[in-house]
Amino acid sequence: PALPCFADFTEMMRALGYPRLISMENFRTPNFVLVAEVLLWLVKRYEPQADIPPDVETEQDRVFFIKAVAQFMATKAHIKLNTKKLYQADGYAVKELLKVISVLYGAVNTKGVEHADLSEEDSNKFKFDLGSKIADLKTARQLASEITSKGATLYDLLGKEVDLREARTESIARPLEINEAEKTLKIAIGCVLEQVQKTKDMLNNVALDEANLEAKIQKRKLELERSQKRLQTLQSVRPPFMDEYEKIEEQLQKQYNSYLEKFRNLAYMEQLLDDHRQAEQEMIE
């Protein structure tokens, strides 16, 4: 299939400082490794601390990688990506990559207006960290909310200061009664002695608890050993349906390869149909 806007794609990637050159021939055939490398690099430009698994060895890893990148872009950058076209990893994937690259490229150009006379080598060294700015914005919003809440609480407390000042002055001016103070101290001492007795009782019961825990640990160890022996026995026995399962799995893989080929052809035909309709519309206009 044709590679739409490939000149813009290579120019933007070069301006953003991508460390290697990308040729038009890289996307003539599906090249998932290169698409995954570009996507991971773009994610790191948005947020260097982003946790996207780079494994793309198996089919399941590739599907998980594409979903993770699409979810990250939708959440952090509000960019909706077509996961099917990204998974094709051909010319149609370039259109999806341009959605992300255009935003980064526009941000770089906006920030670089005051430095328009910089050389091409200096422009390639530009580092744009949108993730850190978003994190700073979230922190600022949280601090503003906390300041507002603390200010309202302080205002309420200051409003009660008039009544509290009178009660505090009255309590300070009142003479100290020895009998009342003695009674309060006795109550406090009784509470402390009761707490000390509870602590002693707990210490006396530590040995009993330790013995109970030791018995439970031994019981669990015996159960673990029996479970491990049973697992080894089950692993050594081959189920009778495994031969049929492996045969069906092989057939499923063939069907899936056929499905991928038909899906790619269908996508290509749909693109041709869209181009034809657009050409007809332009001709009618």
Side-chain angles (χ1 to χ4, degrees), residues 268-279:
Y268 177 63
M269 296 300 293
E270 289 178 350
Q271 182 65 30
L272 290 179
L273 181 59
D274 292 341
D275 295 342
H276 179 68
R277 290 176 177 173
Q278 185 177 0

Side-chain angles (χ1 to χ4, degrees), residues 12 16 100-113 128:
M12 290 180 183
L16 291 175
V100 182
I101 296 170
S102 300
V103 177
L104 279 174
Y105 185 76
V108 170
N109 288 340
T110 302
K111 191 171 183 179
V113 169
F128 180 70

